[in-house]
Amino acid sequence: MAAVLPNPPSNAAMSGLARALLQAGRISTQQVETLTKKAAVEKALFIDVLLQSGEIDARALATFCSEAFGYPILDFSSFNLSFSPDKVIDPKLMQSQRVLALAKRGNKVSVAISDPTNTQALDQIKFQTELMVEPIIVEHTALLKMIEKLGQSAEQNLTEMIGDDLDIDFADTDLSGANDAAAAAVAADIDDAPVVKFLQKILTDAINAGASDLHFEPFEKYYRIRFRVDGVLREVAQPPLAIKEKLASRIKVISKLDISEKRVPQDGRMKLVVSKTKSIDFRVSTLPTLFGEKIVMRILDATQAQMGIEALGYDPDQKETLMAAIQRPYGMVLVTGPTGSGKTVSLYTCLNILNQPGINISTAEDPAEINLPGVNQVNINDRAGLTFPVALKAFLRQDPDIIMVGEIRDLETADIAIKAAQTGHMVFSTLHTNDAPATLTRLMNMGVAPFNIASAVILITAQRLARRLCTCKQTTVIPDEALIEAGFREEELDGSWLPYKAVGCERCNGSGYKGRVGIYQIMPITENIERIILAHGTALEIEAQASLDGVRTLRQSGLVKVRLGLTSLEEVLGCTNE
């Protein structure tokens, strides 16, 4: 029979758990009063004070709660924390109310709890998740350890990943500059030291590895970081899933993005100060995905544009043709190729060659990737009305000698650029086409008049980037039939050379490749090609005439690199079509 409480504490002061224990005769009235007062003074939960007093142990209390309230009991020692569903319960709610999500099935979530009378916690979880809550009784001390372990695991794992302290910093980073309420609310989380150091280490590792891009990718059960090195993505780390929001917020703040906006993509920039004399720019892009924001960072190293044209891999005759074209007083030079084929570096290298005190150069880019001192660079801003056509019209009133358009996307941009090339200006731009002949038909398909194309365009270069063989390369034997099928002529197979294959060593991380080399198709617009353009000729007709004029296809240029031992046949076949 339940015990009767003669002079109980007020209902407002008494814990529901205390009342249940008292009514079951498991604790006396005096003990309830003493423990309730102590909990009030220490601002602690009754269950914490109760277990500290030794009146009952955690195992006995869990058994009592299960029997008294009819909830199942779980031995936490057999529970694998990795199976706990991520982000079902807010971490702050988990810490303050001592609850932990165990499983989620359909519209029901199972929640580990040691005090089933804590209805406030259960109501908050139900309201927050919009799910039915199924309480599971666990020992209080085991629950506290599990919650602590979950909170500390991310920091511990990051500390192990970070290693030594890093002597780098972010330029123009002001975490207090976020004025909106959402930014102020998470400012403390963003400045979490392990996350800051981890991000610095990842960025430093990417620079040291020669990566061009970094991918931060959240998934349901794990978080992945990958580097694109020599055109190939490879996984470098799987940090704790719990840090994905802190890491995303940290990147967005130093990139001056809106950390409260997670529903739409955003673009920004950041600068990493490596030393007093060196800093690296990053272009940052965020994308909302099913399990969080994916972030891709493009490394923008200004030294790439200052390497010189010799480092880009042009063959001697190709280099001579290109240099002759860009030195002309007016006309249009187009660089084509897919994303990541090195078009921007090629254009910037040409601009760097032409960047002299007596020449006025203006560029319109979306966005400006590499800072070139002495060149007037303009970032396109469609929202503000600063489009490519608007920028080009403004350039023509700025007394330009050379104009660079980041990309010709529409007829209006193409028309203005071509008119600029016809009126005494040198114009550089890019197009997304497969090869040089297809670029001319692409312009015609956009609606540009053939006579304008023929009179303005003076040279088109198509390009790809192939991985360069590491010094560990070895010669290999490939049957003549396979070489001929790849594009070699029989007279070239005279035995004076052997192809090389990728091997792999420490220097190249076992891939067999280190760095990249350009493969180019340089097509000057000759009189014969002009006639085909004026006759509305096809890309096949232009390609046939270019071949007669001595223009090598991308495949043929790649095979030259194979003969020189710069890359492998497999690599050339993989990045060119024939």
Side-chain angles (χ1 to χ4, degrees):
M1 185 174 177
V4 179
L5 181 62
N7 294 303
S10 68
N11 285 335
M14 188 190 303
S15 159
L17 181 60
R19 187 179 299 107
L21 289 167
L22 186 59
Q23 290 178 348
R26 300 294 294 272
I27 194 170
S28 68
T29 304
Q30 184 178 357
Q31 290 170 328
V32 169
E33 291 178 343
T34 302
L35 295 175
T36 300
K37 288 180 181 178
K38 185 177 181 182
V41 171
E42 296 179 358
K43 296 182 179 179
L45 296 178
F46 176 81
I47 190 171
D48 288 327
V49 176
L50 172 65
L51 292 175
Q52 289 171 5
S53 70
E55 299 292 343
I56 188 172
D57 63 32
R59 181 180 294 274
L61 180 61
T63 303
F64 166 77
C65 290
S66 175
E67 293 173 351
F69 296 94
Y71 293 136
I73 189 170
L74 172 70
D75 180 7
F76 236 4
S77 62
S78 61
F79 181 73
N80 188 342
L81 190 59
S82 63
F83 291 119
S84 175
D86 179 57
K87 295 298 181 185
V88 173
I89 299 176
D90 184 86
K92 293 180 180 178
L93 176 61
M94 179 180 70
Q95 295 281 352
S96 62
Q97 297 292 351
R98 316 288 179 80
V99 289
L100 180 66
L102 296 175
K104 178 179 175 293
R105 296 182 184 87
N107 66 341
K108 182 183 291 185
V109 58
S110 299
V111 176
I113 192 166
S114 55
D115 182 0
T117 66
N118 186 1
T119 55
Q120 180 184 4
L122 300 176
D123 290 341
Q124 284 183 349
I125 295 170
K126 185 176 181 180
F127 176 77
Q128 183 190 90
T129 63
E130 298 182 354
L131 298 171
M132 293 178 59
V133 179
E134 178 186 44
I136 305 291
I137 304 300
V138 296
E139 292 182 25
H140 186 67
T141 52
L143 177 61
L144 295 185
K145 288 179 181 177
M146 197 66 77
I147 292 174
E148 183 180 8
K149 182 179 179 182
L150 192 64
Q152 289 182 349
S153 60
E155 184 171 330
Q156 290 172 349
N157 289 344
L158 284 184
T159 303
E160 292 174 3
M161 288 180 173
I162 292 165
D164 298 332
D165 288 341
L166 303 164
D167 188 21
I168 59 174
D169 197 7
F170 297 99
D172 303 323
T173 301
D174 182 10
L175 295 179
S176 63
N179 295 321
D180 61 311
V186 300
D189 286 342
I190 294 170
D191 207 16
D192 188 12
V195 172
V196 173
K197 289 183 178 180
F198 176 70
L199 178 60
Q200 290 176 336
K201 174 176 171 50
I202 287 294
L203 296 181
T204 305
D205 288 348
I207 294 168
N208 292 337
S212 61
D213 302 87
L214 297 82
H215 292 241
F216 298 81
E217 302 169 307
F219 297 97
E220 184 176 13
K221 295 294 184 183
Y222 66 99
Y223 191 71
R224 178 175 69 182
I225 297 176
R226 295 190 291 174
F227 294 168
R228 186 178 293 280
V229 180
D230 296 335
V232 178
L233 279 171
R234 69 168 187 243
E235 184 175 315
V236 295
Q238 279 199 20
L241 188 60
I243 73 159
K244 66 179 183 181
E245 291 188 357
K246 286 185 178 181
L247 195 57
S249 296
R250 174 70 184 174
I251 293 172
K252 288 166 74 173
V253 165
I254 57 182
S255 305
K256 295 181 172 57
L257 300 178
D258 184 357
I259 61 176
S260 64
E261 181 56 79
K262 301 178 182 179
R263 300 165 298 176
V264 297
Q266 297 186 65
D267 294 298
R269 290 176 73 97
M270 57 175 277
K271 184 186 292 288
L272 183 68
V273 181
V274 182
S275 66
K276 291 182 180 179
T277 57
K278 184 176 182 181
S279 61
I280 303 289
D281 287 325
F282 293 81
R283 188 178 72 193
V284 181
S285 171
T286 71
L287 179 70
T289 68
L290 282 177
F291 303 105
E293 288 182 285
K294 174 181 177 178
I295 298 177
V296 175
M297 305 174 73
R298 167 69 58 88
I299 298 177
L300 309 173
D301 192 350
T303 58
Q304 290 182 331
Q306 300 166 358
M307 292 188 301
I309 197 165
E310 292 80 10
L312 297 184
Y314 288 97
D315 296 332
D317 59 328
Q318 293 178 334
K319 174 188 170 185
E320 183 180 346
T321 303
L322 177 62
M323 292 299 295
I326 68 173
Q327 297 288 352
R328 290 173 64 171
Y330 59 88
M332 177 181 282
V333 172
L334 295 172
V335 181
T336 73
T339 301
S341 60
K343 299 188 299 294
T344 301
V345 171
S346 295
L347 277 177
Y348 278 35
T349 301
C350 292
L351 290 179
N352 209 39
I353 292 171
L354 300 172
N355 187 13
Q356 304 294 332
I359 297 178
N360 179 21
I361 304 176
S362 295
T363 74
E365 304 167 72
D366 185 21
E369 294 191 354
I370 299 174
N371 179 30
L372 286 179
V375 175
N376 305 290
Q377 296 173 274
V378 174
N379 266 337
I380 295 304
N381 187 338
D382 288 329
R383 289 185 180 178
L386 182 56
T387 60
F388 279 119
V390 170
L392 278 174
K393 289 176 182 177
F395 287 169
L396 295 175
R397 295 190 290 270
Q398 291 275 316
D399 186 30
D401 296 303
I402 298 172
I403 295 172
M404 195 269 273
V405 186
E407 182 184 350
I408 293 179
R409 299 175 179 171
D410 51 51
L411 176 59
E412 186 179 7
T413 305
D415 271 340
I416 299 172
I418 282 177
K419 287 174 184 175
Q422 291 172 328
T423 54
H425 306 94
M426 192 68 200
V427 179
F428 294 92
S429 190
T430 69
L431 271 174
H432 288 281
T433 56
N434 290 327
D435 57 18
T439 304
L440 295 171
T441 54
R442 166 79 173 132
L443 287 172
M444 286 189 275
N445 291 338
M446 288 174 65
V448 181
F451 62 85
N452 281 334
I453 299 172
S455 63
V457 181
I458 59 176
L459 181 135
I460 301 173
T461 169
Q463 64 183 74
R464 300 288 188 275
L465 287 178
R467 289 183 293 171
R468 186 187 294 266
L469 284 166
C470 180
T471 53
C472 62
K473 64 186 179 182
Q474 292 179 2
T475 56
T476 185
V477 177
I478 300 176
D480 288 354
E481 294 79 7
L483 293 174
I484 291 172
E485 185 179 352
F488 283 104
R489 298 191 303 272
E490 287 189 18
E491 56 267 27
E492 292 175 319
L493 307 180
D494 55 7
S496 62
W497 62 276
L498 281 174
Y500 285 85
K501 66 177 181 179
V503 179
C505 64
E506 267 187 41
R507 182 172 180 268
C508 59
N509 287 323
S511 68
Y513 297 93
K514 186 70 175 177
R516 289 194 283 181
V517 62
I519 297 175
Y520 302 94
Q521 180 185 29
I522 305 292
M523 188 180 80
I525 307 302
T526 62
E527 290 184 4
N528 290 329
I529 292 178
E530 284 183 11
R531 292 191 188 97
I532 296 174
I533 296 171
L534 292 172
H536 298 265
T538 65
L540 289 175
E541 293 172 329
I542 296 170
E543 182 179 0
Q545 182 57 53
S547 180
L548 293 175
D549 293 337
V551 175
R552 290 191 294 275
T553 64
L554 284 166
R555 171 65 62 82
Q556 290 167 344
S557 294
L559 295 179
V560 172
K561 301 293 193 295
V562 173
R563 288 190 63 182
L564 295 173
L566 297 175
T567 189
S568 66
L569 181 62
E570 293 82 4
E571 188 68 13
V572 170
L573 295 178
C575 65
T576 61
N577 290 326
E578 189 74 350

